[in-house]
Structure formats: structure tokens, C-alpha cells
């Protein structure tokens, strides 16, 4: 039986041996201009907050001079305008995560002068201002970050005869586009119409400014409705209130004091808001300084301080995501780092600076970080774990531990005790451990050794608690990034030292086991093995002999971890550990319950999970929710999940709709309802559910994509086409949507439109094999079989697949090896090898030959089909479809000259072996081969096995198999000729 185929980074590290624990790196990209090609381009400086180092600037690729540079949200792609204003460029970070940038593609603007740039929230639409032509340009951004087509050009009223421009473009969260023009004294506001791809004038369309006032740049507060604008020439800062209709109401004006215009006629070079929006930093070009303003609750600005920019004419400002550092790029080329006071926003020159060999034009600081990373742990304020002494003396940390050497034994102990009491940071605790260790090495402390070890252990365990609690909140991705840290934490936290002092220590063993459990998630090292973790847990649990709250909490944490590690093998014992943990520490009862539920779900004990869920829901409904207990809504959501796992979709749907009555606008619940409706195959209700989601999210490409698929199932081709178009509007690079749109056009008898779209893309990318094959598929769907055959032959020729086939079937002879020269050993293993074939080319050839072979088979052209199946097998000898279909033709063809029983048996046997004799269609092929040979006993044996498997699986081929069996019972070979396609 024949078969058809289905055709600047912030990184986090921990070094407990150094001055600071966590290393935080920021990349500062600076766009520059230069008269020399050797020095023009984009420079990057790397700042390590932990070590305090600022790397020397270096160029990050041959990018040329850019007058403007903006990042995408992920800081992997960047967009810029060339210094001459003629090209819009897309750049990308190095694929290995390095800060280097490479040019991806560019759009040329002949006769224009590009001057401003911004991306929308989806990162799929980019707007650019051409002041030479007086146009706003709308460009799509593809999924890979490259620039797509210019989809719209719109005349802009601000064009000046000279093409001068001093301003910017920006998009706020309300979706509106703000165009600031410092020449024509206006701020235009537009509403991007994503469907029609035009910029409609907002109402109001223009921000009212007083005569003589201009705004060159706007910055938006991250949370509050405050917007700040700068007037570069006059040195004024405006505060605006953002209105619901997108308009801006001016509420205050601040004039910068002691400013003199620069040679470029500017007082202000740049403005920068802190990440939390609390402080505004303004670069004075006129007096070479930075002014700091506090943003008041009413949006007013209050001056905090003024600081020298440490260079001439500051032009660009940049700030790291934590708000702890500000960079200033001066016209002189000097880039300076300032430290920012967290409490006051005040600046302090760090002494870190570098001179660029070119003039800075703009700056971007990358803000990418590991979510939930352990940050600034060194300076963490720790909870007091011992009572304060009566003395209020501060401890001289800089003197110790070295200062212990000059003290007597008694003075050493007294000093260490004071240090332990005064320790408030991780650094302090580490110094306490170092002091204890130093004292223990001194023979004079023999009598105090036990006490000093206890003191050191208390500091070690306090460090461990702080670190482990932070690790608890990290994602799997963050833990993977921290693998090198986790591998050394046991030593760096001194946990191993504590275990050397006391191998049976309950706290030491349990904390070390918890640490190893985090390491086990990212490493398969022997130390982090389950056996080793359990060894330390068991030792700790056996030696937890106290009965106070601290010891009970410690023991409870160990029992939960041990239960988690053993639940899969022995859930009954693990559940006892959980019950004991909850008894010892009532504060973790919720965590214990959640852990138990997760075990049930992982083990697919769904009935038990439902039973406990119902008990908990009844308890909460009777007693009410409290701060430490379960939320009724969360319990019902978990019950929905369990029902879904049981495929009880109707029951789950009832619960979802019950919750939706209480929370009608909750998108997560609406998505759950949609998923359940899809599982129930209630397509019309699915469409209604997606439409509700789109009412609230009219720019969501995924929802349009889903609704288009639903319309496709309903064969509502007109509606499907509308949604494919909207999907591609908001997600231009969605290849699946593009393909399904073409097939929808075919269903609407608009085949030539689909063909025209594919051909247009092929002209832009003539070497795109997938597009060329897509064209053949469109012809096939449209039943234009002659065009299918023509296109497939054309693809073979255009992509020179025959040459690839010859390389495989007729490899070039290897050159004879020369005899080794005298006194020269012949090196083994250095034989010539055949050139490796391109994997892409190989897959392309397989796809073409297999599709064409199947097409020819269904068209009744069996001889040509055989030739193509042979080509497939030359490239992939174990291709199941080719093995089976070729065997089928050789065993069943009506043409005597094409049949070959022996080869059909060989091919049929091979494909059955590859599939463990489990595919009824392949068994049918083997039966037909034996029938062609005249061995009807074997033919009946194999067809009977095929029937048994098909009946068990309710295979759709059952009737065909019975028809074949009837022929063999009559001792007649089976004959079949396919003529579905005629061309």
C-alpha cells in the first residue's frame, strides 16, 4: 500500500572571596561621527559594577558613522540612521552574546534626509522622519529583527526648505506617536492605524506651546502621567501632564541657570530619567555640567544639585537599569562614569573615564539582566541574630582580621564577639569567620576553641540562610547562568569548613544539602548527586535533637527536601516526611500542601489530587481565607488544571465560567475557556471567545492567527483571509500565516493573487527553496497539475539538484596516496575524505524528489515515479516513504516491464524492519510483493498481520486491506494504477 509524505548585558556572578559578591556588567554603546574611516562607527565600553572596572572603548564592527542609534526591547537588535541621513540600518548583537554589532540590512532613502527614529511596543513597526522629503515613513520589522518593506509614506507639515530638523520621535504606552520639532515650534500627535497602516491625526493633533517655545525631545515617566520636554537652545525644561486623549498639558517650566549657548547654539545636550522616574538628569552644553532634578509628586521639578560633566559640552547621557550609574559623553570625546546616590539622586564623579577617537552623537546602555538574580548581596542588611551589647561602639572592620595578631587571647575573643554582634552585611559575616579561623590557628586559644568554632558556625549559617533564601526564588534559567557560582558556594560560604569542624552538624549538613539540591538542577556532578544530597540530609535529620522553634524549622525544611527527592520511588514514606514537616513548622503548611499536590500531579494520581482539592475548597468555603492559607480562586484554578489532565473538559469549563462571572475581564481565564472549547471542538464558541480577546487586544497578532485557523476549520475562507491579513500586519514575518493565506486565496479561487505574492518574494530572494516549493504546492492545491509538474522540474534545474545527486551516486575517485618519503613515518588516519554535503541542500533534494515521486505516482506516471524514488533512496537509503512506495509499484504496477518481485520483497522487508513490523500499510506492501512472486501463502500471512493491526488501531485503510486479501485468497496478485492527477 502506497503512502504519501507530510509535506549592554548585565551578568551576575558571585565571588565570596573578593571585595564584592555580585558582578553586574553594563554595555555602553556610543554612536560617533569622524572625518576618518578608521575611527568612525559605534564604540562600546563595558562597566563591571562589582569590580569597578570600565573597559577601554572599542569599535564593535564596521557599522560606519550613525547619527542616531536606538535599541529594540531585547537589546539584541539595534536600528540607526547613517550620518549622511540617506540610510536606515538594522544591526544585531553577536550571536554568542558578545557586545559586537553586525549590519543585518539597510533601506536607502534617495534624495531624503532621515532625522528621527522610533519603534512601537510590538517591536514590529518602525517610524522614521524624512525631513528632506517632508514625510513620515512607516517600515515593518521582521521577526528576525531585519528591516522589512516601507508600507506607508505620509506627508508631514513640518518640512522646512532647508531640511533643518532639531527634534525626535517617540511612542508612549497609549500607542500614540509624538513628533517633536524644535524648528517649527510644534509637537504633533498621531494615532497609528495598524490595519490600514496610516498615521491618523490625534484629537488633539498638536500640543499648544507659547510663542517662542520649542521642544526637541520628550521623555516619559515609567509609571505616572508625567512627560518632560527639553528646549535645547534656550535651556528650558517643560513638565507636561499626559491626558487620557493623548494630549499634553503643560504644568511647569524650569529655566537652567548660568547657561550660555554652545557653538552649536545649544544649552541642553540631552535629558535622562532614572529607571524609577524619581530623578531627571539634564546635560548643560553651555556650562559643561549635569543638573539633577527631583520629580515631585505633582510632576514639578526641584533642583537637587549641579555637577561638572568632566569634559567639554556634554552631548549624550545614559543610565544603567539599577539607576546606580550615569554615563556622560562629551563633545570632546570624553566618556565619564558618575556614581548615583540612591537616596538623593546626587552625582559623584567615579574617576572612571575614557577618551573616544571620535565625536559622540548618542548613547545606549543595555538593560538586559537575569531576572531574580542575587543583587548586591554583599551590602544586604541582615536580621540581628544575637542581642545588641550595651555598647554602641561601631566596629573598625578595616583593621581586622589582621589586627588580631597584636591582641591577647582574651582581647581576641572580646573583639570577635563584638564583631559578631555588630555584623550587618555579608562582608562583615565573612570577616567574622576569618577572624575566628585566624584565632583558632593560634595555640593560645586552645581553651576557647569550641566557643570560637560555635561563633564561626553561627556566622557561616547566617550567610547560608541568606544565600539559600535568595536561590529559592530563582528561575531554572537563572540557576543555569550561575552554575560556576553554585559549584564553589559550598567552599566560599565556608559550609565545608563547618562540616570539617563538626561532620554531624545538623545545620551544616542540611544547609549543604539544600545548596547541592540547587546545583543538581544545573549539573550532573557526583557531589550534587541525589545519593550525596540524601546522605547529608539523613545525617542532619538524625542529629536534629533540639525542640526549639529554630531547630524545628531547620528539620522541617530538611524533611520537605528529602520527601521531594524520594517521592518518585516511595511516595508513602515521602508523604510521612511532609506530614512531620507540617507538624514541626506550621508556617510551612501551605508549602507542604502544594508540594504534596505537585507530587500527585507528577505521578498522575489525579483522583487523589481532586479529593484533597475538594477537601481544601470545602475548608476554605467554611472557614474563610486567611493570609497564610489557600486562596479559593487559586484552588479552583488548580482543580481546572486537574480536570484538564483528566480530559474532563466539560467539568473544567463549568469551573472556568464560574470564575469568569467573578472576574469577567481576566485574560488568563478567558484563554483557559478558549483552550477548553478547542479541546471540545466547539469551533463557533472558540471564534466568539477569541473575538472577545481581540476586543481588548486589537493589536495581538497571535489572536488573529488563532481566529484565522478557526475560520479555516469552518471553511469560512473570506473571514479567514481577513484575519490572515491582520496577522501579517502585526507580525510580518509569520511564515505559517503567510502560507495559509496563500492556500486560503486558492480556496477563494484567487490562485493568481497567491501566485503573484509568492513570485514577488521569489524575485527578492530567488535562492529561497522553500518559496519555490511553496509555489508548486499552491498549484497542486489549485489542481493546476501541469503547472505543478513544470514548477517541480524548474526547481530541480534552478537549484542544480542533479549535481548534488551525482556527488552522492558517483563520488569522485580518491587520488592515489604517495609513498612515504624516506625516514618519514606514514601517519594513520589522514586519508582523503569526500567533501561534506550541505545539509540544507540534501534536505531540499529529498523534499523535491519525494514530492515529485508521489505526484507522479498519483498521476499514473509510474516509470517517472520510480526514477524519483530511486533518487530519494540514493540520498537517504532508509527513507520509509520511498522504500514503501517503490516496493508497491514494483509489486503492483499494471505494466509488466516495471514489476520486479525480488526487489519489491527486499525493499518491503527493509521498511518493515525499520518500523518493527507495526505499520499495516507497509505490511500490505510486503504482502503484495510476495503475491507478485506467486507466494500467496506468505502474502496471506502478511496481509492478515496488517489487518490485525489495522483493526486494533481502527485504521482507515481497513477496507482496502480486505480488498487486497480477497485477491490473494483467489491466488491473484494485486494491481493498482493511480490516475488522480492528469497533466
Amino acid at each position: 500500500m502506497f503512502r504519501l509524505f507530510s509535506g549592554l548585558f548585565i551578568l551576575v556572578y558571585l565571588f565570596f572571596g573578593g571585595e564584592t559578591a555580585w558582578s553586574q556588567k553594563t554595555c555602553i554603546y556610543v554612536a560617533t561621527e569622524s572625518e576618518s574611516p578608521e575611527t568612525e562607527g559605534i564604540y562600546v565600553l563595558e562597566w563591571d559594577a562589582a569590580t569597578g572596572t570600565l573597559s577601554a572603548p572599542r569599535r564593535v564592527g564596521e557599522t560606519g558613522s550613525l547619527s542616531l542609534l536606538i535599541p529594540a526591547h531585547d537589546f539584541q537588535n539595534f536600528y540607526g540612521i547613517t550620518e549622511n541621513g540617506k540610510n536606515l540600518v538594522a544591526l544585531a548583537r553577536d550571536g554568542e552574546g558578545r557586545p559586537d554589532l553586525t549590519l543585518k540590512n539597510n533601506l536607502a532613502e534617495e534624495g531624503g534626509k532621515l532625522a528621527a527614529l522610533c519603534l512601537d511596543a510590538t517591536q514590529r513597526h518602525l517610524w522614521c522622519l524624512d525631513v528632506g522629503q517632508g514625510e513620515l515613513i512607516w517600515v515593518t520589522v521582521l521577526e528576525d529583527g531585519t528591516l522589512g518593506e516601507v508600507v506607508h509614506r505620509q506627508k508631514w507639515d513640518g518640512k522646512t526648505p532647508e531640511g533643518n530638523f532639531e527634534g525626535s520621535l517617540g511612542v508612549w504606552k497609549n500607542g500614540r506617536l509624538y513628533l517633536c520639532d524644535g524648528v517649527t515650534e510644534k509637537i504633533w500627535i498621531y494615532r497609528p492605524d495598524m490595519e490600514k497602516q496610516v498615521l491618523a491625526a490625534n484629537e488633539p493633533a498638536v500640543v499648544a506651546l507659547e510663542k517662542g517655545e520649542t521642544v526637541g525631545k520628550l521623555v516619559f515617566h515609567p509609571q505616572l502621567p508625567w512627560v518632560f520636554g527639553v528646549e535645547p537652545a534656550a535651556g528650558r525644561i517643560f513638565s507636561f501632564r499626559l491626558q487620557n486623549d493623548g494630549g499634553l498639558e503643560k504644568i511647569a517650566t524650569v529655566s537652567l541657570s548660568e547657561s550660555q549657548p554652545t557653538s552649536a547654539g545649544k544649552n541642553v545636550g540631552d535629558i535622562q530619567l532614572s529607571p524609577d522616574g524619581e530623578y531627571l538628569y539634564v546635560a548643560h552644553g553651555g556650562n559643561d555640567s549635569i543638573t539633577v532634578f527631583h520629580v515631585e509628586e505633582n510632576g514639578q521639578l526641584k533642583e537637587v544639585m549641579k555637577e561638572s560633566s568632566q569634559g567639554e559640552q556634554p552631548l549624550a547621557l545614559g543610565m544603567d537599569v539599577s539607576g546606580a550609574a550615569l554615563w556622560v559623553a562629551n563633545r570632546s570625546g570624553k566618556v565619564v562614569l558618575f556614581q548615583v546616590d540612591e537616596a538623593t539622586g546626587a552625582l559623584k564623579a567615579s574617576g572612571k573615564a575614557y577618551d573616544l577617537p571620535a565625536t559622540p552623537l548618542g548613547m545606549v546602555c543595555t538593560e538586559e539582566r537575569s531576572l531574580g538574580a542575587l543583587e548586591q548581596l554583599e551590602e544586604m542588611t541582615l536580621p540581628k541574630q544575637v542581642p545588641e551589647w550595651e555598647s554602641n561602639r561601631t566596629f573598625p572592620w578595616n583593621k581586622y582580621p589582621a589586627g588580631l595578631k597584636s591582641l591577647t587571647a582574651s582581647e581576641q575573643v572580646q573583639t570577635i564577639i563584638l564583631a559578631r554582634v555588630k555584623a550587618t552585611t555579608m562582608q562583615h559575616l565573612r570577616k567574622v569567620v576569618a577572624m575566628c579561623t585566624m584565632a583558632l590557628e593560634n595555640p593560645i586559644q586552645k581553651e576557647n576553641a569550641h566557643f570560637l568554632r560555635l561563633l564561626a558556625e553561627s556566622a557561616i549559617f547566617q550567610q547560608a540562610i541568606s544565600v539559600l533564601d535568595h536561590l529559592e526564588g530563582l528561575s531554572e534559567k537563572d540557576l543555569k547562568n550561575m552554575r560556576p557560582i553554585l559549584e564553589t558556594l559550598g567552599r566560599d560560604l565556608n559550609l565545608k569548613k563547618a562540616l570539617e569542624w563538626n561532620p554531624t552538624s545538623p545545620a551544616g549538613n542540611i544547609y549543604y544539602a539544600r545548596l547541592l539540591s540547587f546545583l543538581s538542577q544545573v549539573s550532573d556532578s557526583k557531589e550534587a548527586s541525589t545519593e550525596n544530597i540524601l546522605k547529608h540530609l539523613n545525617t542532619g535529620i538524625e542529629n536534629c535533637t533540639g525542640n526549639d522553634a529554630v531547630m524545628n524549622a531547620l528539620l522541617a525544611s530538611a524533611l520537605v527536601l528529602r520527601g521531594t527527592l524520594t517521592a518518585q520511588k516511595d511516595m508513602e514514606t515521602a508523604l510521612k516526611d511532609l506530614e512531620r514537616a507540617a507538624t514541626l513548622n506550621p508556617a510551612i503548611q501551605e508549602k507542604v500542601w502544594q508540594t504534596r499536590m505537585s507530587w500527585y500531579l507528577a505521578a498522575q494520581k489525579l483522583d487523589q489530587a481532586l479529593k484533597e482539592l475538594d477537601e481544601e475548597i470545602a475548608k476554605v468555603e467554611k472557614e474563610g481565607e486567611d493570609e497564610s492559607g489557600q486562596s479559593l480562586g487559586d484552588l479552583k484554578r488548580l482543580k481546572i488544571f486537574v480536570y484538564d489532565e483528566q480530559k474532563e473538559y466539560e467539568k473544567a469549563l463549568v469551573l472556568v465560567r464560574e470564575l469568569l462571572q467573578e472576574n469577567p475581564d481576566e485574560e488568563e481565564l478567558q484563554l483557559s475557556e478558549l483552550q477548553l472549547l478547542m479541546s471540545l471542538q466547539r469551533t463557533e464558541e472558540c471564534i466568539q471567545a477569541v473575538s472577545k480577546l481581540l476586543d481588548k487586544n486589537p493589536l495581538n497578532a497571535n489572536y488573529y492567527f488563532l481566529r484565522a485557523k478557526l475560520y479555516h476549520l469552518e471553511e469560512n475562507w473570506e473571514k479567514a483571509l481577513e484575519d490572515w491579513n491582520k496577522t501579517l500586519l502585526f507580525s510580518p514575518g509569520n511564515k505559517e500565516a503567510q502560507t495559509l493565506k496563500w492556500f486560503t486565496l486558492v480556496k477563494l479561487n484567487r490562485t493568481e493573487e497567491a501566485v503573484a505574492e509568492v513570485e514577488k518574494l521569489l524575485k527578492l530572494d530567488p535562492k529561497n527553496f522553500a518559496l519555490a516549493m511553496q509555489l508548486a504546492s499552491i498549484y497542486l492545491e489549485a489542481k493546476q497539475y501541469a503547472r505543478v509538474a513544470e514548477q517541480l522540474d524548474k526547481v530541480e534545474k534552478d537549484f542544480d539538484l542533479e549535481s548534488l545527486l551525482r556527488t552522492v551516486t558517483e563520488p569522485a575517485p580518491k587520488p592515489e596516496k604517495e609513498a612515504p618519503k624516506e625516514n618519514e613515518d606514514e601517519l594513520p588516519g589522514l586519508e582523503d575524505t569526500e567533501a561534506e554535503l550541505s545539509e540544507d541542500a540534501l534536505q531540499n533534494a529529498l523534499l523535491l524528489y519525494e514530492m515529485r515521486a508521489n505526484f507522479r505516482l498519483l498521476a499514473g506516471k509510474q516509470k517517472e515515479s520510480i526514477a524519483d524514488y530511486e533518487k530519494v533512496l540514493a540520498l537517504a537509503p532508509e527513507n520509509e516513504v520511498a522504500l514503501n512506495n517503490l516496493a508497491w509499484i514494483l509489486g503492483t504496477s499494471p505494466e509488466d516491464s516495471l514489476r520486479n518481485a525480488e526487489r519489491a520483497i527486499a525493499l518491503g522487508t527493509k521498511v518493515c524492519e525499520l518500523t518493527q513490523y507495526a505499520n499495516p500499510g507497509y505490511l500490505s506492501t510486503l504482502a503484495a510483493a510476495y503475491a507478485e512472486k506467486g507466494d500467496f501463502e506468505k502474502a496471506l500471512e502478511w496481509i492478515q498481520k496488517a489487518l490485525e493491526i489495522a483493526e486494533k488501531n481502527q485504521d482507515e485503510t481497513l477496507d482496502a486491506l480486505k480488498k487486497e486479501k480477497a485477491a490473494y485468497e483467489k491466488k491473484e496478485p494485486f494491481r493498482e494504477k493511480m490516475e488522480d492527477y492528469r497533466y
Side-chain angles (χ1 to χ4, degrees):
M1 182 173 289
F2 73 93
R3 286 286 186 271
L4 297 184
F5 75 114
S6 302
L8 59 71
F9 251 74
I10 295 184
L11 305 175
V12 184
Y13 300 95
L14 177 60
F15 301 101
F16 270 98
E19 278 304 307
T20 54
W22 302 98
S23 174
Q24 186 170 287
K25 290 184 180 178
T26 302
C27 293
I28 307 101
Y29 292 95
V30 186
T32 67
E33 64 178 355
S34 173
E35 295 181 0
S36 168
E38 286 75 25
T39 55
E40 69 178 10
I42 300 173
Y43 288 80
V44 66
L45 301 90
E46 295 181 73
W47 163 245
D48 189 323
T51 62
T53 56
L54 181 68
S55 71
R58 63 182 181 85
R59 286 203 302 171
V60 289
E62 301 297 327
T63 60
S65 291
L66 302 181
S67 62
L68 182 63
L69 181 69
I70 65 170
H73 288 173
D74 61 2
F75 289 95
Q76 299 304 306
N77 295 297
F78 295 77
Y79 303 93
I81 296 173
T82 54
E83 185 185 354
N84 61 11
K86 300 294 184 185
N87 291 80
L88 180 62
V89 299
L91 308 163
R93 280 181 64 128
D94 184 279
E96 299 298 321
R98 292 183 291 269
D100 299 80
L101 298 180
T102 56
L103 180 66
K104 298 187 80 170
N105 72 332
N106 71 81
L107 293 178
E109 188 70 6
E110 295 299 329
K113 185 178 181 182
L114 305 178
L117 198 61
C118 72
L119 285 161
D120 78 329
T122 70
Q123 307 292 281
R124 292 289 176 264
H125 305 278
L126 182 147
W127 291 285
C128 185
L129 189 61
D130 185 339
V131 295
Q133 303 290 340
E135 290 179 335
L136 270 166
I137 302 171
W138 187 329
V139 180
T140 58
V141 178
L142 304 182
E143 285 189 355
D144 63 357
T146 56
L147 297 169
E149 299 178 337
V150 175
V151 296
H152 178 67
R153 294 176 179 273
Q154 184 161 325
K155 284 296 180 182
W156 166 57
D157 296 335
K159 179 180 182 296
T160 59
E162 299 82 13
N164 295 326
F165 182 77
E166 184 68 47
S168 63
L169 282 170
V171 176
W172 178 229
K173 294 176 184 177
N174 57 20
R176 291 174 175 84
L177 177 69
Y178 293 83
L179 195 166
C180 301
D181 183 7
V183 176
T184 58
E185 304 178 1
K186 291 182 180 179
I187 301 175
W188 281 270
I189 312 175
Y190 298 93
R191 288 183 297 104
D193 186 326
M194 295 298 179
E195 186 169 349
K196 297 179 181 177
Q197 293 188 327
V198 296
L199 291 166
N202 188 64
E203 291 294 338
V206 179
V207 177
L209 298 173
E210 295 179 14
K211 187 176 180 179
E213 291 181 341
T214 63
V215 174
K217 180 180 179 180
L218 291 177
V219 293
F220 298 89
H221 195 284
Q223 289 92 29
L224 301 175
W226 311 129
V227 183
F228 304 99
V230 59
E231 188 177 40
R236 289 184 288 195
I237 309 298
F238 303 112
S239 296
F240 298 94
R241 179 183 287 106
L242 187 66
Q243 306 295 308
N244 290 334
D245 59 9
L248 299 177
E249 176 194 2
K250 190 173 68 171
I251 57 176
T253 304
V254 175
S255 294
L256 301 176
S257 57
E258 303 173 8
S259 294
Q260 298 296 324
T262 67
S263 57
K266 293 183 183 179
N267 273 307
V268 178
D270 196 7
I271 56 175
Q272 173 76 47
L273 263 175
S274 62
D276 58 8
E278 191 168 356
Y279 297 98
L280 182 73
Y281 299 86
V282 183
H284 286 223
N287 59 12
D288 303 334
S289 66
I290 311 297
T291 299
V292 184
F293 292 96
H294 181 260
V295 178
E296 304 289 288
E297 291 183 1
N298 58 3
Q300 302 274 355
L301 296 175
K302 180 181 178 181
E303 186 171 328
V304 174
M305 66 167 298
K306 190 186 270 54
E307 178 73 16
S308 168
S309 68
Q310 307 288 311
E312 297 177 5
Q313 295 184 24
L315 292 180
L317 302 177
M319 186 167 256
D320 81 329
V321 72
S322 70
L326 179 83
W327 288 270
V328 179
N330 295 279
R331 181 177 291 277
S332 58
K334 191 175 186 181
V335 178
V336 184
L337 169 66
F338 290 87
Q339 295 173 337
V340 180
D341 187 288
E342 183 180 356
T344 66
L347 299 177
K348 180 183 178 182
S350 68
K352 309 289 184 182
Y354 274 109
D355 288 318
L356 297 174
T359 303
L361 296 174
M363 182 185 297
V364 171
C365 300
T366 62
E367 299 177 0
E368 188 169 341
R369 58 171 46 199
S370 297
L371 299 176
L374 300 174
E375 296 170 53
Q376 301 177 1
L377 190 58
E378 285 290 318
E379 303 303 324
M380 179 193 299
T381 301
L382 301 167
K384 294 180 175 63
Q385 299 217 353
V386 291
E388 283 281 3
W389 274 10
E390 292 181 4
S391 169
N392 290 321
R393 287 180 295 153
T394 58
F395 189 82
W397 294 103
N398 292 336
K399 288 180 59 179
Y400 296 97
L404 286 179
K405 294 178 181 178
S406 61
L407 302 180
T408 66
S410 175
E411 289 172 337
Q412 285 183 357
V413 173
Q414 293 291 321
T415 301
I416 294 171
I417 292 173
L418 178 62
R420 180 68 186 94
V421 171
K422 295 295 182 180
T424 59
T425 70
M426 295 291 281
Q427 284 180 328
H428 295 164
L429 289 174
R430 198 165 59 253
K431 286 206 170 187
V432 170
V433 176
M435 292 166 70
C436 289
T437 303
M438 180 179 286
L440 284 166
E441 292 171 352
N442 193 330
I444 65 173
Q445 293 293 359
K446 185 176 181 180
E447 293 183 2
N448 297 318
H450 180 67
F451 173 74
L452 287 170
R453 279 197 291 269
L454 290 177
L455 205 60
E457 282 183 356
S458 75
I460 290 169
F461 297 154
Q462 191 177 356
Q463 289 182 84
I465 291 169
S466 300
V467 172
L468 291 169
D469 286 350
H470 276 76
L471 291 173
E472 200 76 57
L474 293 184
S475 67
E476 183 180 351
K477 179 182 177 182
D478 291 325
L479 287 173
K480 285 181 179 178
N481 290 337
M482 293 175 58
R483 177 177 172 174
I485 303 165
L486 293 170
E487 289 174 341
T488 60
L489 266 178
R491 182 195 67 236
D492 294 335
L493 282 175
N494 289 301
L495 280 172
K496 288 188 175 181
K497 181 175 289 186
L499 289 173
E500 288 173 9
W501 289 334
N502 184 4
T504 62
S505 164
N509 278 285
I510 291 171
Y511 290 145
Y512 190 50
R514 283 185 63 191
L515 181 63
L516 291 178
S517 73
F518 290 114
L519 177 59
S520 70
Q521 297 178 47
V522 298
S523 169
D524 56 0
S525 70
K526 186 176 180 180
E527 186 179 23
S529 67
T530 301
E531 292 75 14
N532 195 38
I533 297 171
L534 285 172
K535 183 188 80 171
H536 285 287
L537 281 175
N538 291 333
T539 301
I541 290 169
E542 289 167 8
N543 290 282
C544 271
T545 55
N547 194 29
D548 55 74
V550 173
M551 191 61 73
N552 284 344
L554 180 68
L555 179 54
S557 69
L559 290 167
V560 171
L561 180 55
R562 186 171 73 177
T564 302
L565 293 173
T566 59
Q568 191 172 358
K569 290 184 177 179
D570 186 358
M571 186 174 289
E572 186 177 343
T573 303
L575 286 170
K576 289 178 181 178
D577 274 348
L578 279 193
E579 290 170 9
R580 186 182 171 196
T583 303
L584 286 167
N585 185 7
I588 66 169
Q589 284 184 352
E590 181 181 351
K591 179 181 178 181
V592 165
W593 186 88
Q594 291 171 344
T595 302
R596 190 164 63 244
M597 288 300 295
S598 71
W599 294 353
Y600 291 147
L601 296 175
Q604 287 293 294
K605 294 182 177 293
L606 302 178
D607 290 337
Q608 184 65 33
L610 273 179
K611 179 184 175 184
E612 293 209 15
L613 269 171
D614 287 336
E615 290 172 358
E616 193 71 16
I617 288 172
K619 177 184 173 183
V620 173
E621 287 177 335
K622 180 180 178 181
E623 300 176 3
E625 301 175 8
D626 58 47
E627 291 182 1
S628 61
Q630 301 288 333
S631 156
L632 186 59
D634 288 342
L635 290 170
K636 288 182 177 179
R637 283 170 168 81
L638 184 54
K639 190 173 180 180
I640 290 166
F641 175 79
V642 177
Y643 277 146
D644 187 60
E645 287 288 293
Q646 289 183 318
K647 296 184 170 47
E648 294 281 2
Y649 303 127
E650 289 286 2
K651 292 180 180 179
L653 186 60
V654 170
L655 262 183
V656 167
R657 287 178 168 170
E658 181 183 313
L659 290 173
L660 274 171
Q661 288 181 350
E662 302 169 10
N663 309 279
D665 295 325
E666 186 175 328
E667 189 170 345
E668 184 178 345
L669 283 174
Q670 291 173 322
L671 286 169
S672 295
E673 180 188 34
L674 174 60
Q675 184 61 52
L676 291 167
L677 288 170
M678 291 176 69
S679 297
L680 290 165
Q681 297 183 354
R682 285 150 64 168
T683 309
E684 286 189 18
E685 291 182 68
C686 286
I687 291 172
Q688 293 171 9
V690 181
S691 298
K692 285 181 185 177
L693 288 164
L694 279 167
D695 287 341
K696 292 193 304 181
N697 303 275
L699 307 183
N700 192 306
N702 291 330
Y703 293 159
Y704 284 116
F705 180 79
L706 180 56
R707 192 169 69 178
K709 279 195 166 183
L710 292 166
Y711 283 134
H712 193 96
L713 287 173
E714 290 275 278
E715 297 188 1
N716 189 337
W717 307 119
E718 291 286 356
K719 289 285 189 182
L721 182 60
E722 288 179 20
D723 280 351
W724 292 135
N725 285 331
K726 288 176 181 176
T727 302
L728 292 166
L729 173 65
F730 300 122
S731 181
N734 189 322
K735 292 182 173 59
E736 186 178 358
Q738 201 171 47
T739 299
L740 289 170
K741 175 192 171 181
W742 295 332
F743 282 95
T744 302
L745 286 169
V746 173
K747 293 293 185 183
L748 290 167
N749 296 318
R750 293 160 61 179
T751 303
E752 295 310 315
E753 289 182 45
V755 169
E757 288 195 16
V758 178
E759 288 181 338
K760 179 182 177 183
L761 292 174
L762 273 171
K763 284 182 181 178
L764 296 173
D765 188 6
K767 292 299 182 183
N768 190 318
F769 180 84
L771 278 174
M773 291 296 288
Q774 196 70 70
L775 198 54
S777 297
I778 290 172
Y779 292 143
L780 186 60
E781 183 70 18
K783 299 182 180 179
Q784 298 181 8
Y785 301 132
R787 295 176 80 178
V788 177
E790 181 183 336
Q791 178 64 15
L792 290 174
D793 291 343
K794 183 175 186 298
V795 171
E796 181 183 42
K797 181 180 177 182
D798 289 349
F799 289 85
D800 198 17
L801 298 180
E802 278 289 343
S803 294
L804 174 69
L805 188 66
R806 285 194 297 275
T807 303
V808 175
T809 57
E810 300 174 12
K814 297 178 183 178
E816 294 183 9
K817 291 196 293 186
E818 295 180 8
K821 295 177 183 177
E822 231 179 288
N823 301 323
E824 183 181 343
D825 294 331
E826 184 175 2
L827 298 177
L830 298 183
E831 300 173 358
D832 295 326
T833 58
E834 296 177 23
E836 291 186 8
L837 297 172
S838 161
E839 184 64 26
D840 287 343
L842 181 62
Q843 293 305 316
N844 290 346
L846 284 170
L847 181 63
L848 172 82
Y849 291 133
E850 192 171 350
M851 180 177 178
R852 191 169 67 180
N854 291 334
F855 173 71
R856 286 172 166 175
L857 176 58
L858 289 170
K861 296 183 178 291
Q862 293 187 337
K863 184 176 181 180
E864 293 88 341
S865 181
I866 288 172
D868 276 339
Y869 283 132
E870 295 285 13
K871 291 176 181 178
V872 172
L873 292 174
L875 297 169
E878 295 187 350
N879 184 291
E880 293 176 18
V881 173
L883 286 168
N884 178 76
N885 290 4
L886 181 54
W888 180 256
I889 298 170
L890 296 176
T892 66
S893 175
E895 298 182 41
D896 296 343
S897 62
L898 298 182
R899 293 195 304 277
N900 184 329
E902 293 298 336
R903 184 137 193 260
I905 291 172
L907 294 171
T909 301
K910 183 173 182 178
V911 74
C912 286
E913 288 174 349
L914 290 171
T915 53
Q916 288 79 49
Y917 293 87
N919 186 308
Y922 296 166
L923 292 170
S924 155
T925 298
L926 185 56
Y930 275 110
E932 168 59 21
K933 185 181 178 183
D935 190 345
F936 293 103
E937 184 178 344
K938 278 282 189 184
L940 284 167
E941 177 187 336
W942 290 118
I943 200 67
Q944 183 58 37
K945 288 186 179 181
L947 276 165
E948 290 170 3
I949 295 172
E951 286 172 350
K952 181 181 178 180
N953 299 335
Q954 296 182 333
D955 197 289
E956 61 183 10
T957 63
L958 197 56
D959 289 340
L961 293 172
K962 290 178 180 177
K963 183 180 176 182
E964 292 168 29
K965 182 181 179 183
Y968 306 149
E969 287 174 337
K970 295 177 185 177
K971 299 194 181 301
E972 294 176 356
F974 192 79
R975 297 287 177 261
E976 183 172 52
K977 183 176 182 180
M978 306 299 296
E979 292 184 344
D980 288 353
Y981 303 158
R982 296 182 181 276
Y983 64 93

